[in-house]
C-alpha cells in the first residue's frame, strides 16, 4: 500500500512538472486526433522520454523547443494514437514472416498466381513456397479460389503449401511427395485428406471442422535458422509499425510452445529491439495436460505487474489463453457445421480456471459460438462463486454469435471482449451457412458497447484474417467484407472515432492499461502515428489503404518513410536472400 501511494504521488509530481519542461521531440503542423474528450483535436504534441508532456497549438508547443529538441513538421497530416491490436499472433508470425508469401490485399487471382510462380522459381531446394492466410477468393476480381491444377502449374517442382482460412489448405504434387502423403495416409480426427477416384491424394486438406490437420501439416515445413528468425521477427514488427501498430496482445496460438518458441522475442527484448509493446498469453498445447502445463508455467513465470501498471520492458506474460483446454476449441470454420464441445470440457476448464484465478492470472478464452459461450460462462460463474474474480482481467475472444443474454452475464462478471475482422474474410461463408439475417449483428458490437462491456479491436492475424488493422477499421466502419459484401445492419456499423477508440483505448482497457495509453494526452505514453491520408476525410472504402508514414513508440521513432525516412532506423534486408519480403514486402494492396 505504501509503495502504491508513493507511486501515485510520484506520478502526480511528474504530471505537475510537464507544464514546466522542454521536450526531446516536437511534432507540429499536424491534424491530431487526440481521442481525449477534453481536447479532441490539436496541432502539435511535445514528448520527453517516453511520455507526452504537452498537447496544444503550434505556438504553444514550439515554445518548448530547446537546442536539442528534434522538431518534426507533420506537413498538415493526420496524427493518431498508436494502434493497439488486442489479438494478434505476432510471436509465432514473426518466426515465419520472411518465409511466407503474402496474398493479403492482392486484387486478382491472376496476380496471386504470378507471385506464386515467381517465388517458386527463386525458392531453393529443401525449402517451400508458402501462402499462410490473410486472403480469400472474394478479394479477387475473379471471385473464385485457385484450382489445384493452377497451383501445380505455378509451382512446378518446388513444394508449396497454401492455407485458406482455417477451412482447407492446398499442397502441390511436390509437397505431397515431400510430406510422404499417399493413398495409405489416414485421415486425422476431424480432418480430411481428399482423394480422387483412383484413391490418390489430390492435394486438398480439409478441416472438418478441426483445423489440426492444417496446423500439423504446416508445422512439418522447414523452419528458418535462428538468425533468420530474428531478422524475420524484426521485419514483421517493422511491418506492423508501418501500419501504425505500437502495441499488441499476443494470444499464443497452436504449435506455439512455451518457452521454446519465445526465444527470438526474448532475445530481441533484451537487445532493446522490440518495436511494439508486447504482453503475451500462454496457450496450452497438449490435450489433457493443460492443468499440468499451467502449474509448471506458474513455477517459471512470475506475473509481478498489477493490472494497469506500466511494466518497464512491455514484454511480459499477461496471463493464460486464448485456448485454455483443447476440449473447449470451437473452431471458426464457417464452411462446416458448428462443432459440439466434448462433455469433459466443463470439468477440465473448471480445474484450469480455478488455478488461474487463485494465482491471479488474467485469462482469455477463444469463443466463436454462443452455444460455447453459454457453457464457458457456466464454468466461469461457478468458479467465481468459489474463488471470486474480484476485478481480475478476463475476456472472450471473437464472440461472433454471442447473445444479448450472455452479454449481460459477461458484464455481470466484469469481463471484456476482443473482436476481430474475421467476418471481413468469412462473411460470405457465414451467410451461405446461416443466412443474411444472422450476419447482420455478427458480432453484435453495438450491443456490447451499449451494455458498457470493455471491447477491444484486433485482427487475429496472420493465418485467418490479415494483420492489417486498417482492413479491420474499414470493416468496423463500413460493415463490408474484403470482397465488398455488406451484410452488416446499419446500427452495428461504427463511426470512425468509435472504431479508432476500439483499436486504442478499447484494447488497452481489456487489461486495465487505458489509464496511460490510447490517447494523445499529457502524461500518457508517447505512442503515435502520422498517417498517409486523413482518416476522417478519406472515402470509407479507402480506409483499408491507409498506413503510417512516421511511427513513434515509447517516444522513439521506430518507422519512417518518404519525407520522414531519415528520422527512422535503417530497415535491414530480409534473410534469407530469397525471402518474398525482399521482393514484395508484406501487405500487398495491388
Amino acid at each position: 500500500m505504501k509503495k502504491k501511494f508513493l507511486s501515485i504521488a510520484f506520478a502526480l509530481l511528474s504530471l505537475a512538472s510537464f507544464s514546466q519542461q522542454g521536450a526531446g521531440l516536437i511534432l507540429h503542423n499536424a491534424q491530431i486526433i487526440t481521442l481525449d474528450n477534453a481536447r479532441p483535436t490539436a496541432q502539435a504534441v511535445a514528448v520527453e522520454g517516453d511520455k507526452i508532456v504537452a498537447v496544444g497549438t503550434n505556438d504553444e508547443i514550439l515554445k518548448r523547443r530547446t537546442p536539442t529538441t528534434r522538431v518534426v513538421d507533420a506537413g498538415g497530416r493526420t496524427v493518431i494514437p498508436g494502434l493497439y491490436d488486442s489479438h494478434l499472433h505476432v510471436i509465432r508470425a514473426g518466426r515465419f514472416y520472411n518465409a511466407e508469401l503474402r496474398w493479403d490485399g492482392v486484387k486478382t487471382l491472376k496476380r496471386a498466381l504470378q507471385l506464386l510462380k515467381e517465388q517458386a522459381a527463386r525458392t531453393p531446394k529443401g525449402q517451400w513456397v508458402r501462402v499462410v492466410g490473410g486472403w480469400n477468393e472474394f478479394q479477387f476480381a475473379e471471385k473464385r479460389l485457385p484450382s489445384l491444377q493452377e497451383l501445380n502449374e505455378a509451382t512446378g517442382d518446388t513444394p508449396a503449401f497454401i492455407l485458406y482460412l482455417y477451412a482447407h489448405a492446398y499442397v502441390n504434387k511436390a509437397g505431397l511427395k515431400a510430406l510422404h502423403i499417399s493413398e495409405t495416409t489416414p485421415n486425422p480426427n476431424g480432418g480430411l485428406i481428399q482423394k480422387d477416384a483412383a484413391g490418390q491424394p489430390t492435394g486438398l486438406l480439409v478441416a472438418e471442422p478441426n483445423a489440426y490437420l492444417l496446423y500439423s501439416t504446416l508445422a512439418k515445413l522447414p523452419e528458418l535458422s535462428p538468425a533468420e528468425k530474428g531478422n524475420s521477427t524484426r521485419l514483421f514488427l517493422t511491418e506492423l509499425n508501418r501500419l501504425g501498430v505500437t502495441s499488441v496482445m499476443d494470444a499464443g496460438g497452436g504449435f506455439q510452445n512455451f518457452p521454446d518458441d519465445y526465444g527470438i522475442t526474448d532475445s530481441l527484448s533484451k537487445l532493446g529491439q522490440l518495436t511494439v509493446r508486447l504482453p503475451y498469453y500462454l496457450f496450452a498445447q497438449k490435450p489433457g495436460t493443460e492443468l499440468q502445463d499451467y502449474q509448471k508455467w506458474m513455477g517459471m513465470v512470475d506475473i509481478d505487474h498489477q493490472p494497469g501498471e506500466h511494466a518497464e520492458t512491455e514484454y511480459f506474460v499477461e496471463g493464460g489463453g486464448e485456448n485454455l483446454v483443447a476440449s473447449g476449441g470451437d473452431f471458426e470454420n464457417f464452411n462446416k457445421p458448428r462443432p459440439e464441445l466434448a462433455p469433459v470440457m466443463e470439468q477440465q476448464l473448471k480445474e484450469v480456471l480455478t488455478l488461474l484465478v487463485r494465482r491471479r492470472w488474467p485469462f482469455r478464452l477463444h469463443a466463436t459460438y454462443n452455444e460455447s459461450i453459454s457453457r464457458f460462462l457456466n464454468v466461469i460463474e461457478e468458479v467465481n462463486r468459489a474463488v471470486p474474480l474480484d476485478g481480475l482481467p478476463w475476456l472472450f475472444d471473437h464472440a461472433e454469435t454471442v447473445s444479448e443474454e450472455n452479454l449481460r452475464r459477461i458484464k455481470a462478471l466484469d469481463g471484456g471482449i476482443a473482436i476481430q475482422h474475421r467476418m471481413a474474410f468469412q462473411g460470405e461463408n457465414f451467410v451461405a451457412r446461416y443466412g443474411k439475417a444472422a450476419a447482420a449483428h455478427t458480432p453484435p458490437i453495438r450491443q456490447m458497447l451499449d451494455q458498457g462491456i470493455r471491447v477491444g479491436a484486433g485482427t487475429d492475424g496472420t493465418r485467418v484474417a490479415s494483420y492489417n488493422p486498417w482492413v479491420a477499421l474499414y470493416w468496423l466502419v463500413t460493415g463490408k467484407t474484403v470482397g465488398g459484401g455488406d451484410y452488416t445492419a446499419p446500427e452495428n456499423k461504427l463511426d470512425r472515432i468509435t472504431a479508432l477508440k476500439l483499436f486504442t483505448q478499447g484494447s488497452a482497457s481489456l487489461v486495465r492499461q487505458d489509464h496511460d495509453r490510447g490517447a494523445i494526452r499529457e502524461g500518457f505514453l508517447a505512442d503515435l502515428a502520422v498517417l498517409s491520408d486523413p482518416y476522417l476525410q478519406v472515402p470509407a472504402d479507402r480506409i483499408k489503404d491507409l498506413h503510417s508514414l512516421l511511427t513513434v513508440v515509447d517516444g522513439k521513432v521506430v518507422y519512417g518513410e518518404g519525407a520522414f525516412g531519415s528520422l527512422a532506423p535503417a530497415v535491414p534486408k530480409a534473410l534469407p536472400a530469397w525471402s518474398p519480403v525482399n521482393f514484395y514486402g508484406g501487405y500487398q494492396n495491388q
Side-chain angles (χ1 to χ4, degrees):
M1 180 64 72
K2 181 178 179 182
K3 181 179 178 182
K4 186 174 182 181
F5 175 79
L6 291 174
S7 297
I8 294 172
F10 179 76
L12 291 172
L13 288 172
S14 298
L15 284 169
S17 70
F18 286 161
S19 62
Q20 304 167 10
Q21 67 188 79
L25 171 68
I26 287 177
L27 184 66
H28 71 109
N29 189 22
Q31 298 182 38
I32 301 177
I33 303 172
T34 67
L35 299 186
D36 177 4
N37 292 336
R39 187 200 293 267
T41 63
Q43 295 178 314
V45 56
V47 173
E48 179 59 33
D50 64 348
K51 296 290 197 306
I52 294 169
V53 295
V55 181
T57 66
N58 290 324
D59 289 342
E60 290 170 341
I61 301 305
L62 285 172
K63 289 178 182 178
R64 294 174 175 268
R65 177 171 45 191
T66 71
T68 59
T69 301
R70 173 182 278 184
V71 179
V72 179
D73 186 337
R77 294 190 177 277
T78 295
V79 178
I80 63 168
L83 300 179
Y84 194 154
D85 192 320
S86 61
H87 186 124
L88 176 61
H89 301 278
V90 65
I91 297 173
R92 182 181 67 192
R95 292 163 50 219
F96 298 100
Y97 178 67
N98 282 3
E100 295 174 355
L101 172 68
R102 306 305 307 179
W103 279 358
D104 306 43
V106 176
K107 292 181 170 57
T108 69
L109 178 58
K110 180 180 178 180
R111 174 62 178 163
L113 290 170
Q114 181 62 34
L115 295 176
L116 195 66
K117 182 176 181 179
E118 293 170 3
Q119 186 57 37
R122 70 172 62 95
T123 300
K125 187 175 182 178
Q127 278 291 347
W128 287 57
V129 59
R130 57 193 97 184
V131 178
V132 185
W135 65 279
N136 74 12
E137 70 270 38
F138 300 103
Q139 76 190 47
F140 299 142
E142 298 90 339
K143 303 297 182 186
R144 68 174 179 86
L145 292 166
S147 69
L148 282 162
Q149 180 180 347
E150 288 172 321
L151 296 175
N152 278 299
E153 289 174 353
T155 54
D157 294 333
T158 303
F161 179 96
I162 296 94
L163 179 67
Y164 172 72
L165 307 173
Y166 272 147
H168 64 256
Y170 305 94
V171 180
N172 69 349
K173 291 179 180 178
L176 291 173
K177 182 178 179 180
L179 292 170
H180 306 291
I181 297 176
S182 69
E183 69 276 10
T184 62
T185 304
N187 293 323
N189 184 35
L192 170 69
I193 300 172
Q194 186 190 69
K195 296 181 174 67
D196 61 21
Q200 297 298 315
T202 64
L204 187 67
L205 310 180
V206 184
E208 292 199 326
N210 193 324
Y212 177 79
L213 172 61
L214 313 183
Y215 267 129
S216 59
T217 304
L218 183 57
K220 295 174 183 176
L221 274 54
E223 295 195 12
L224 300 173
S225 70
E228 290 166 344
K229 289 179 184 177
N231 173 270
S232 178
T233 299
R234 286 187 63 192
L235 289 177
F236 184 51
L237 295 176
T238 298
E239 170 74 348
L240 294 177
N241 296 150
R242 185 186 72 83
L243 295 167
V245 176
T246 59
S247 295
V248 170
M249 269 186 265
D250 190 288
F255 288 84
Q256 177 66 19
N257 294 287
F258 183 82
D260 298 349
D261 293 331
Y262 291 73
I264 299 299
T265 40
D266 289 347
S267 297
L268 293 178
S269 177
K270 291 174 183 175
L271 293 170
Q273 294 179 349
L274 289 182
T275 58
V276 300
R277 304 179 188 276
L278 192 57
Y280 60 94
Y281 289 77
L282 300 188
F283 184 125
Q285 300 292 321
K286 299 176 183 177
T289 65
E290 297 93 344
L291 179 62
Q292 290 84 352
D293 281 342
Y294 283 111
Q295 289 171 332
K296 177 180 66 177
W297 293 337
M298 286 177 178
M300 300 167 58
V301 174
D302 181 18
I303 297 187
D304 58 359
H305 65 285
Q306 296 298 315
E309 274 189 1
H310 171 56
E312 289 183 6
T313 63
E314 289 288 341
Y315 174 71
F316 50 79
V317 175
E318 179 66 44
E322 72 186 272
N323 273 20
L324 294 176
V325 291
S327 55
D330 65 339
F331 306 99
E332 69 285 1
N333 181 2
F334 297 138
N335 287 341
K336 300 292 180 181
R338 174 182 61 82
E340 291 289 345
L341 303 184
V344 72
M345 184 277 292
E346 278 82 356
Q347 183 58 37
Q348 291 181 340
L349 181 60
K350 178 183 176 181
E351 292 173 351
V352 171
L353 278 181
T354 299
L355 173 68
L356 293 173
V357 177
R358 285 191 188 280
R359 297 293 296 271
R360 307 304 294 166
W361 271 46
F363 63 91
R364 62 195 303 163
L365 270 169
H366 171 106
T368 301
Y369 300 98
N370 188 61
E371 292 83 352
S372 304
I373 291 171
S374 293
R375 291 177 63 180
F376 294 153
L377 283 169
N378 291 341
V379 178
I380 297 171
E381 289 167 346
E382 183 180 356
V383 170
N384 182 56
R385 287 191 290 271
V387 188
L389 292 168
D390 193 24
L392 182 71
W394 74 274
L395 61 111
F396 280 127
D397 286 295
H398 318 312
E400 272 87 0
T401 67
V402 64
S403 68
E404 186 172 0
E405 177 188 357
N406 279 338
L407 288 177
R408 287 193 290 269
R409 296 171 72 188
I410 294 167
K411 175 63 176 176
L413 291 164
D414 198 21
I417 300 175
I419 59 170
Q420 303 80 37
H421 64 317
R422 302 194 308 182
M423 284 292 286
F425 290 84
Q426 301 188 73
E428 287 84 358
N429 295 338
F430 185 93
V431 169
R433 178 161 294 277
Y434 298 108
K436 291 180 68 173
H441 296 90
T442 300
I445 302 171
R446 178 52 59 190
Q447 289 183 24
M448 297 174 187
L449 296 176
D450 287 348
Q451 292 207 25
I453 295 171
R454 294 183 181 90
V455 180
T459 61
D460 201 8
T462 58
R463 295 182 175 179
V464 177
S466 173
Y467 57 81
N468 187 341
W470 295 102
V471 178
L473 283 158
Y474 153 82
W475 166 74
L476 286 168
V477 170
T478 67
K480 293 180 180 179
T481 68
V482 293
D486 186 355
Y487 309 110
T488 304
E491 63 272 18
N492 207 40
K493 300 173 184 179
L494 304 181
D495 66 83
R496 299 189 194 198
I497 291 296
T498 300
L500 188 59
K501 283 185 175 181
L502 293 191
F503 246 109
T504 50
Q505 299 167 2
S507 295
S509 74
L510 295 175
V511 286
R512 315 298 194 266
Q513 291 179 329
D514 49 324
H515 69 289
D516 69 354
R517 65 199 72 192
I520 298 177
R521 175 181 175 184
E522 291 87 345
F524 275 41
L525 295 174
D527 299 348
L528 51 88
V530 179
L531 299 184
S532 57
D533 293 284
Y535 170 63
L536 295 180
Q537 284 81 41
V538 296
D541 282 354
R542 285 186 52 205
I543 291 174
K544 61 181 179 296
D545 300 327
L546 297 178
H547 70 281
S548 176
L549 300 179
L550 177 74
T551 304
V552 175
V553 178
D554 220 30
K556 306 175 187 69
V557 175
V558 296
Y559 179 80
E561 67 173 71
F564 306 105
S566 62
L567 303 175
V571 179
K573 287 283 189 181
L575 298 175
W578 54 265
S579 167
V581 175
N582 283 329
F583 301 90
Y584 311 117
Y587 189 84
Q588 297 298 299
N589 196 24
Q590 58 180 307

